[in-house]
């Protein structure tokens, strides 16, 4: 076990396992490890524009952990849109 995955550090400790993907070298059948989704990939999966969570703080670029947290506390765009359309539909009936 690599030290970066040790308890109390970033990695597999706590609830940070949700954004890890298995890594498989091209042409091989077995997986050799995991690869973390980048904040950009997470933004795209949630339906946000590229760099949406890359907001500088105190003149410094946004930390990946802050970007993951912002994405984890948000709604996927298509789900929010669907709910809004359903509310509008119900309001138009009444």
């Amino acid at each position: 076990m690599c030290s970066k995955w040790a308890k109390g550090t970033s990695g597999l400790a706590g609830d940070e396992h949700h954004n890890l993907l298995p890594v498989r070298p091209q042409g091989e059948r077995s997986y050799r490890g995991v690869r973390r989704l980048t904040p950009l990939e997470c933004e795209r999966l949630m339906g946000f524009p590229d760099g949406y969570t890359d907001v500088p703080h105190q003149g410094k670029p946004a930390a990946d952990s802050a970007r993951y947290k912002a994405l984890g506390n948000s709604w996927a765009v298509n789900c929010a849109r669907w709910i809004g359309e359903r509310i509008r539909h119900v309001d138009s009936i009444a």
Side-chain angles (χ1 to χ4, degrees), residues 22-70:
V23 175
R24 182 178 61 155
Q26 201 153 7
E28 292 194 24
R29 294 177 167 253
S30 63
Y31 291 97
R32 294 183 183 230
V34 292
R35 182 183 70 82
R36 176 180 287 242
L37 291 174
T38 66
L40 177 64
E41 291 171 321
C42 292
E43 288 171 344
R44 289 177 178 173
L45 288 170
M46 296 290 284
F48 294 116
D50 291 357
Y52 188 74
T53 59
D54 193 9
V55 179
H57 179 67
Q58 297 179 350
K60 297 179 184 177
D64 284 355
S65 60
R67 294 179 72 185
Y68 287 126
K69 185 175 183 178

Side-chain angles (χ1 to χ4, degrees), residues 44-92:
R44 289 177 178 173
L45 288 170
M46 296 290 284
F48 294 116
D50 291 357
Y52 188 74
T53 59
D54 193 9
V55 179
H57 179 67
Q58 297 179 350
K60 297 179 184 177
D64 284 355
S65 60
R67 294 179 72 185
Y68 287 126
K69 185 175 183 178
L71 289 161
N73 289 330
S74 64
W75 286 24
V77 173
N78 60 341
C79 293
R81 183 178 297 123
W82 183 85
I83 291 170
E85 289 171 358
R86 296 298 296 167
I87 290 170
R88 184 179 341 138
H89 176 72
V90 170
D91 283 347
S92 69

Side-chain angles (χ1 to χ4, degrees), residues 2-19:
C2 173
S3 63
K4 78 175 194 177
W5 302 113
K7 184 176 178 182
T9 62
S10 64
L12 293 177
D15 61 348
E16 294 196 15
H17 65 278
H18 61 276
N19 57 357

